[in-house]
Amino acid sequence: MFAREKEAFLRQFLKLEKGLPSHDTFSRVFRLLDPEQFSACFQKFMGKFFASCQGVIAIDAQGVASLLRQGQRQVAAPHGLCWGCDQRLVLAQIATDAKSNEITAVPQLLKLLSLKGTIVTVDALNCQRAIASKIIDQGGDYAFALKGNQGTLPPMSPCSSTIR
């Protein structure tokens, strides 16, 4: 189904003399890829792609793991991801140490991104001054929704609200 929907795109790079690749072909190719090398190449590619991206970035360091648990699949380690809302695309993803928590994953994810011209959102757990500062330092803005027990997060700039 993917190959049929993306045929024009695939033909830009491949001759496809024997037709569109099947599910089995994609499966064989992905099984042969070294995960660490693929991850490094993908991050480099996304870094170049993302340099020109703008819009809203949603960061969720436990989202993938919880979705997979709901689907009754086992996850080796929690993952963190950055979702480009305008691009409808995962912009960055990392595997976190199984013993660590989400708070350590978000700064690692932010290091992978160029945030200039973006608005970053995170869940309530990550609405912290250090994360807000990192976003500002990288040229981004943020929109944090704070829980009642957290009070307020002072603005990091001349803005008069917690939405920067």
Side-chain angles (χ1 to χ4, degrees):
M1 188 183 324
F2 173 81
R4 281 193 303 267
E5 289 183 18
K6 302 294 183 184
E7 181 175 358
F9 173 76
L10 292 171
R11 288 193 184 277
Q12 292 176 28
F13 308 100
L14 305 169
K15 291 183 181 179
L16 301 175
E17 294 169 353
K18 297 186 180 189
L20 295 171
S22 69
H23 171 273
D24 293 341
T25 301
F26 279 107
S27 180
R28 279 192 305 276
V29 168
F30 288 125
R31 280 194 315 261
L32 293 172
L33 294 176
D34 178 281
E36 290 180 16
Q37 287 182 340
F38 179 78
S39 179
C41 290
F42 182 73
Q43 285 180 1
K44 186 176 178 180
F45 167 78
M46 289 308 295
K48 289 182 180 185
F49 169 78
F50 189 70
S52 64
C53 290
Q54 295 186 346
V56 176
I57 298 172
I59 297 179
D60 188 351
Q62 292 291 344
V64 173
S66 63
L67 284 173
L68 291 174
R69 279 193 299 274
Q70 289 174 9
Q72 304 303 313
R73 294 183 186 172
Q74 297 296 316
V75 179
H79 284 73
L81 67 86
C82 297
W83 176 257
C85 297
D86 293 355
Q87 296 78 26
R88 298 175 50 181
L89 181 66
V90 173
L91 301 171
Q93 178 177 323
I94 60 168
T96 59
D97 181 16
K99 294 180 183 177
S100 73
N101 63 29
E102 184 174 342
I103 293 173
T104 62
V106 172
Q108 292 174 15
L109 283 167
L110 291 173
K111 285 180 191 176
L112 300 173
L113 302 171
S114 169
L115 299 178
K116 188 172 181 159
T118 65
I119 300 170
V120 179
T121 66
V122 296
D123 58 11
L125 178 66
N126 289 293
C127 292
Q128 300 178 14
R129 285 177 175 82
I131 290 177
S133 294
K134 187 152 187 59
I135 293 167
I136 297 300
D137 291 346
Q138 289 182 231
D141 294 314
Y142 61 86
F144 287 0
L146 303 177
K147 288 186 174 182
N149 66 352
Q150 199 168 11
T152 62
L153 181 68
M156 301 300 294
S157 72
C159 294
S160 60
S161 71
T162 57
I163 297 178
R164 169 153 151 60

